[in-house]
Amino acid sequence: MEREAEPEPVIELDEVTAELGGRTVLRGVSLTVGRGEVVALLGANGSGKSTAVRAVVGQVPVTGGGLRLFGHPVRSFGAWARIGYVPQRSTAAGGVPATVREVVAAGRLARRRLRPLRRADRAAVDRAIERVGLAERASEPVDALSGGQHQRVLIARALTAEPELLIMDEPLAGVDLDSQRVLAETLRTQVEGGASVLLVLHELGPLAPLIDRAVVLGHGRVERTVDRPARLPEGSHPCHPADELEPSAEPTLQTGVL
């Protein structure tokens, strides 16, 4: 009996290079995210973490190497509704007065290609809002929310399209503990439903039990890969386990633009 072929990775970077402002930021990064897998990118400020995820979603052009999404070269990939992207925390409404429901519904409109929402779409919006714990505030303006609640709105906006792949850039940065717990439970539900996740993190925090693999970047390169980082000995860290020297000799991890 023939064995079934392994499904293609949802993300595949092969020696990817990328530049920002004429400066090389990614220097031959190779990594994959399999179906149903949760992969975290870690590293010091300026290591290339955010540039890597922005390259995946097409916001930063790849200057070398190969990048494939769901088995297709990124340049010819068109099924962006299969991907939910949560950028680094920003004002959810982008300075435009809007309610929580209106901002979240924008994620569904992208899937509908700006056609009017149907009953099923409105139900998906309500489910996404409820999943992030903001059902009671759905009609309130996003400007009235805390920073952590803003982040929840961005996550709900990504979830409302019911993506197969979630990409999140520093979802825990500056977020209160309650919102971190909500995010962890939300991701758990998505993964149990078969979604794949790639996320940039400063620290694993409450997401640690969900992480299948931590990929540590330094100076635009992959320095280390750690399977099941939550199982590391107490006191060690995926970036520099207790029995090894810190790989990049960079300052302590901090949230940054790269």
Side-chain angles (χ1 to χ4, degrees):
M1 181 181 295
E2 292 186 6
R3 297 177 62 182
E4 293 185 8
E6 290 288 332
E8 293 218 56
V10 294
I11 301 175
E12 187 173 8
L13 281 74
D14 183 14
E15 295 292 324
V16 164
T17 61
E19 297 180 356
L20 284 176
R23 181 172 64 89
T24 300
V25 179
L26 301 183
R27 305 170 185 273
V29 171
S30 296
L31 65 89
T32 61
V33 178
R35 292 187 181 271
E37 190 175 31
V38 182
V39 175
L41 295 181
L42 304 175
N45 184 36
S47 62
K49 306 183 303 294
S50 291
T51 299
V53 297
R54 290 177 62 200
V56 171
V57 298
Q59 292 186 355
V60 173
V62 171
T63 56
L67 171 56
R68 299 173 69 85
L69 298 172
F70 295 95
H72 300 279
V74 68
R75 290 183 178 84
S76 61
F77 183 75
W80 292 103
R82 300 174 73 179
I83 300 175
Y85 175 52
V86 182
Q88 287 190 23
R89 194 179 70 181
S90 60
T91 302
V96 178
T99 66
V100 169
R101 180 174 281 109
E102 288 169 341
V103 172
V104 175
R108 193 72 180 188
L109 282 170
R111 176 172 176 158
R112 292 280 298 159
R113 297 184 180 179
L114 301 182
R115 294 191 298 271
L117 298 183
R118 298 176 177 175
R119 180 180 298 177
D121 300 307
R122 292 191 291 272
V125 171
D126 289 339
R127 283 196 302 272
I129 294 172
E130 184 174 2
R131 191 164 292 169
V132 299
L134 292 176
E136 294 182 356
R137 309 198 66 173
S139 299
E140 296 184 24
V142 292
D143 287 347
L145 304 180
S146 68
Q149 291 167 336
H150 268 267
Q151 187 72 349
R152 295 196 216 175
V153 172
L154 292 175
I155 293 166
R157 185 177 66 184
L159 293 180
T160 193
E162 300 174 334
E164 299 171 52
L165 168 63
L166 267 175
I167 298 176
M168 314 177 80
D169 192 353
E170 292 279 13
L172 300 181
V175 173
D176 59 88
L177 186 58
D178 283 344
S179 291
Q180 290 186 25
R181 290 169 176 161
V182 169
L183 171 58
E185 184 57 35
T186 299
L187 279 185
R188 187 186 309 277
T189 300
Q190 294 302 114
V191 173
E192 289 175 350
S196 307
V197 182
L198 174 65
L199 66 167
V200 172
L201 292 177
H202 166 59
E203 297 286 350
L204 298 181
L207 302 184
L210 300 175
I211 307 299
D212 294 305
R213 192 154 35 90
V215 178
V216 182
L217 298 184
H219 306 294
R221 297 184 176 89
V222 174
E223 294 192 331
R224 177 181 288 113
T225 298
V226 181
D227 292 328
R228 293 290 180 183
R231 298 178 182 175
L232 286 173
E234 186 176 354
S236 63
H237 187 283
C239 285
H240 40 90
D243 61 342
E244 297 187 35
L245 294 176
E246 184 175 354
S248 60
E250 290 283 350
T252 303
L253 291 180
Q254 56 184 301
T255 301
V257 297
L258 300 178

